[in-house]
Amino acid sequence: MAEKKQAIYPGSFDPITFGHIDIAKRALTLVDNLIIGVGINSEKKELFSADERKILISEVFKNNPKVSVISFDGLLIDFAREIGVFSVLRGLRAISDFEHELQLSSLNRHMDNRFDCFYMMTSEQYSYLSSSMVKEIARLNGDVSSLVPDNVYKALRDKYHHV
Ligand code: PNS
């Protein structure tokens, strides 16, 4: 039997948005299993704990056995080594994402040359979407129901407005 194609889709997912979900679903046409790796981006202040983020993502993909969700708190490359998967998927929105992605990919490959990234362009309708903007809109009482799934919408409302 042919070996299963697996990839890690890492990110901070704070919280997961329709943009991430779109990338994950499209990637599932290319790989057999997608491991969503919930990591820590030290440049970002987190709203949801790693456990909360993991639960929200697991709820979204609960009916999809091809997706698993794992959180990691160290280096991405160590997580890749731990699970033995070195193909890594990242979504690209605008040209402004490119520099950061180049750095992430190059440094990870420098640490372990088994590491390799592949990229998918975000679908046009989500090209403007980011978790940071979603948080800002939700915090200021704007409507994010068209940007995130229901469970995330409710979790944001609970965080910011305690209702
Ligand atoms: O969704 P994000 O914030 O762009 O995801 C970034 C993430 C979490 C994938 C990245 O910050 C990461 O890999 N963090 C783990 C720590 C690490 O390996 N840092 C060195 C990267 S070269």
Side-chain angles (χ1 to χ4, degrees):
M1 215 169 73
E3 206 177 302
K4 284 204 164 168
K5 280 196 218 117
Q6 301 195 86
I8 301 175
Y9 179 27
S12 37
F13 303 108
D14 187 34
I16 189 161
T17 69
F18 282 142
H20 298 123
I21 295 168
D22 167 64
I23 293 280
K25 286 191 173 157
R26 285 163 50 216
L28 282 166
T29 63
L30 306 172
V31 297
D32 302 307
N33 288 311
L34 194 64
I35 299 139
I36 300 189
V38 183
I40 295 168
N41 183 338
S42 53
E43 285 164 22
K44 294 178 181 168
K45 193 177 161 301
E46 65 186 32
L47 175 66
F48 293 100
S49 71
D51 266 355
E52 289 172 322
R53 287 179 270 149
K54 188 181 152 182
I55 291 168
L56 290 171
I57 302 168
S58 303
E59 287 168 356
V60 170
F61 292 101
K62 67 175 188 289
N63 294 325
N64 197 330
K66 291 171 141 197
V67 177
S68 48
V69 189
I70 305 177
S71 56
F72 65 98
D73 54 14
L75 286 174
L76 173 58
I77 193 62
D78 286 335
F79 175 58
R81 286 177 180 139
E82 202 179 301
I83 62 172
V85 176
F86 293 93
S87 298
V88 170
L89 163 71
R90 294 281 289 169
L92 278 181
R93 285 166 304 193
I95 200 82
S96 51
D97 282 342
F98 181 80
E99 223 164 305
H100 176 68
E101 294 306 322
L102 181 64
Q103 192 176 27
L104 191 133
S105 158
S106 310
L107 283 170
N108 277 302
R109 266 175 84 78
H110 176 78
M111 289 187 274
D112 192 319
N113 65 11
R114 289 173 293 178
F115 184 98
D116 220 341
C117 259
F118 65 105
Y119 303 90
M120 293 187 78
M121 304 303 295
T122 307
S123 295
E124 208 181 326
Q125 72 264 39
Y126 304 124
S127 57
Y128 54 85
L129 185 50
S130 72
S131 298
S132 312
M133 282 300 171
V134 163
K135 284 182 280 193
E136 174 150 318
I137 297 168
R139 184 171 62 82
L140 299 172
N141 236 337
D143 181 9
V144 293
S145 59
S146 61
L147 307 176
V148 295
D150 265 0
N151 63 333
V152 173
Y153 177 79
K154 290 187 186 117
L156 282 165
R157 210 181 44 193
D158 291 349
K159 276 272 179 217
Y160 287 126
H161 307 293
H162 311 287
V163 285

